[in-house]
């Protein structure tokens, strides 16, 4: 569970929306850009707009397999039929020009022959030797893809700040772009804090736990394509925390810690950081994850995340992930949230915005809804692994009965399915 707050704990908690706006309003994209081959550009962010250097498609071509002819010959095509003059294939165009009364067999993607302006699909013709007769009238220009129908030369096809996914990569390739100019990715230093943390492969002492948060955070960072500097486990000792911050400042744009930002006697991270830089805030009215620190260490940004694993994951998703995207040059945008009915009642105490783990499911009628992924304690990792979404429950809400409409935010990973 999140640590209780003593009555004299200051400063007061910030509202979630205020805190997020402060983070995103403070950060600016990192300087620096590089040119990369197109095959290495997946997941990167464009540093400058991509302009089309040509029309797409660059020439008129066929949208399907059929026969190309001039619509002026339509009456002849419906009556006696047209004379087959040759074949046009993708990459192997028909050479020459159609004469009156002629047609060409054409396959999808092939250039429209000179003298033709219309294509009839092969299912609408009868072929009798060299004669091709239409069985139904077609409109002028049918089944012809016009030059520039997709993109016009000089048009901005991808603005700066676009995240390059498979469709964007394909679009750049279709325009002949072998290299793209992209922004610099953030370098992130990461450490976990706590004398109870034990490295993997070592036996657990009484009261100790394995260091799962560092693996959780590293995996979420690597999933984003971020360069990670892993500083390991830092002891609950001010000098050790100082050394970690010094190392992080020397080699990273962002430093993320997990643990040590609450109000316990051995929570040194926040206090030691104050010797190096400025803390903007360190308490948020959200659950899980109230103890969340954000500040600046010279040119390095700092996120101090809580120590409970679910709190770590939720604060990373809601604050760190959008911050890293912004630093990489992607414009800030609110997460996509769906409004879905609860398939079962959900317990919630009024007071804080609550991100509860959920599972998308369908009711007996096939209607999509959401149910709890299980135990909602901030230490329970099994329900985090079982969740495919977060139910975003307002601060004022109390217990919610089945059928209530709630906001749902999809998680960026697949849920564990139970056998």
């Amino acid at each position: 569970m999140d640590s209780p707050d003593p009555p004299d704990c200051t400063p007061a908690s910030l509202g979630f929306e205020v805190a997020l706006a402060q983070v995103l309003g403070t950060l600016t994209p990192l300087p620096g850009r590089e040119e990369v081959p197109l095959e290495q550009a997946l997941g990167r962010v464009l540093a400058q707009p991509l302009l089309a250097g040509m029309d797409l498609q660059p020439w008129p071509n066929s949208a399907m397999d059929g026969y190309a002819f001039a619509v002026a010959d339509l009456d002849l095509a419906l009556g006696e039929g047209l004379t087959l003059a040759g074949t046009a294939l993708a990459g192997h165009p028909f050479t020459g020009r159609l004469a009156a009364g002629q047609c060409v067999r054409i396959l999808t993607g092939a250039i429209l022959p000179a003298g033709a302006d219309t294509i009839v699909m092969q299912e609408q013709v009868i072929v009798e030797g060299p004669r091709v007769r239409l069985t139904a009238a077609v409109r002028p220009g049918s089944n012809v893809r016009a030059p520039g129908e997709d993109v016009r030369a000089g048009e901005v096809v991808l603005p700066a700040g676009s995240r390059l996914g498979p469709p964007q990569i394909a679009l750049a390739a279709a325009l002949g772009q072998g290299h793209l100019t992209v922004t610099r990715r953030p370098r992130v230093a990461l450490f976990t804090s706590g004398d109870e943390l034990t490295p993997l492969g070592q036996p657990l002492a009484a009261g100790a736990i394995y260091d799962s948060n560092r693996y959780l955070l590293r995996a979420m960072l690597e999933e984003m394509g971020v360069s990670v500097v892993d500083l390991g486990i830092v002891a609950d000792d001010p000098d050790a925390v100082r050394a970690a911050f010094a190392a992080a400042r020397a080699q990273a744009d962002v430093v993320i810690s997990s643990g040590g930002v609450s109000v316990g006697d051995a929570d040194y991270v926040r206090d030691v950081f104050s010797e190096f830089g400025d803390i903007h805030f360190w308490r948020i009215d959200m659950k899980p994850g109230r103890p969340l620190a954000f500040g600046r260490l010279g040119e390095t940004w700092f996120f101090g995340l809580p120590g409970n694993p679910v709190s770590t994951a939720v604060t990373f998703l809601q604050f760190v992930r959008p911050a890293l995207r912004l630093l990489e040059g992607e414009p800030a945008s609110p997460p996509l949230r769906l409004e879905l009915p609860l398939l079962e009642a959900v317990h919630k105490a009024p007071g804080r915005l609550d991100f509860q783990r959920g599972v998308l499911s369908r009711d007996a009628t096939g209607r999509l809804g959401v149910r709890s992924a299980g135990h909602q304690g901030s230490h329970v990792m099994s329900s985090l692994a079982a969740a495919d979404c977060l139910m975003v429950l307002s601060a004022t809400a109390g217990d919610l009965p089945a059928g209530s409409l709630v906001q749902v935010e999809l998680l960026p990973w697949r849920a564990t399915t139970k056998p």
Side-chain angles (χ1 to χ4, degrees), residues 66-78 80-88 94-106 112-120 125 130-134:
Y67 294 83
F69 69 102
V71 76
D73 291 332
L74 181 59
D75 289 341
L76 179 62
L78 291 168
E80 298 178 13
L82 304 171
T83 301
L84 186 61
T87 301
F94 174 82
T95 58
R97 184 179 185 87
L98 288 184
Q102 290 184 327
C103 69
V104 164
R105 169 69 168 151
I106 191 167
L112 187 70
D117 56 20
T118 300
I119 296 171
V120 58
V125 303
R131 307 293 292 180
V132 177
R133 182 166 56 86
L134 274 65

Side-chain angles (χ1 to χ4, degrees), residues 316-332:
F316 180 94
L317 291 170
Q318 299 302 318
F319 287 89
V320 182
R321 185 180 174 92
L324 292 175
R325 289 185 175 276
L326 192 153
L327 288 172
E328 198 177 352
E330 188 176 1

Side-chain angles (χ1 to χ4, degrees), residues 218-255:
R218 180 163 186 155
M220 289 194 289
L221 290 166
E222 290 177 344
E223 188 177 51
M224 296 182 68
V226 171
S227 175
V228 180
V229 179
D230 192 338
L231 300 177
I233 300 172
V234 175
D236 282 330
D237 173 77
D239 289 337
V241 176
R242 288 187 187 97
F245 278 127
R249 179 174 57 181
Q251 54 190 322
D253 303 298
V254 177
V255 56

Side-chain angles (χ1 to χ4, degrees), residues 335-384:
L336 175 64
R337 289 179 180 167
L338 310 175
E339 189 173 66
L340 295 175
L342 287 174
L343 299 179
E344 59 189 22
V346 165
H347 171 69
K348 181 191 177 295
R352 281 191 282 170
L353 181 68
D354 197 350
F355 293 87
Q356 294 199 16
R357 285 141 275 171
V359 177
L360 298 178
S361 187
R362 296 188 182 275
D363 63 15
T365 68
R367 183 181 61 163
L368 185 66
V370 63
R371 58 179 175 80
S372 174
H375 197 298
Q376 295 294 322
S378 58
H379 62 292
V380 178
M381 287 183 279
S382 58
S383 59
L384 181 62

Side-chain angles (χ1 to χ4, degrees), residues 168-188:
Q168 291 77 23
I169 295 291
L171 182 55
L175 292 168
Q177 298 292 320
H179 292 77
L180 294 175
T181 302
V182 297
T183 61
R184 179 170 71 82
R185 279 180 156 162
R187 296 183 299 269
V188 179

Side-chain angles (χ1 to χ4, degrees), residues 289-313:
R290 172 169 281 187
L292 168 67
F294 169 65
R296 188 164 190 169
L297 178 67
E299 297 301 314
T300 301
W301 296 101
F302 169 62
F303 288 92
L305 308 186
N308 280 316
V310 180
S311 301
T312 298

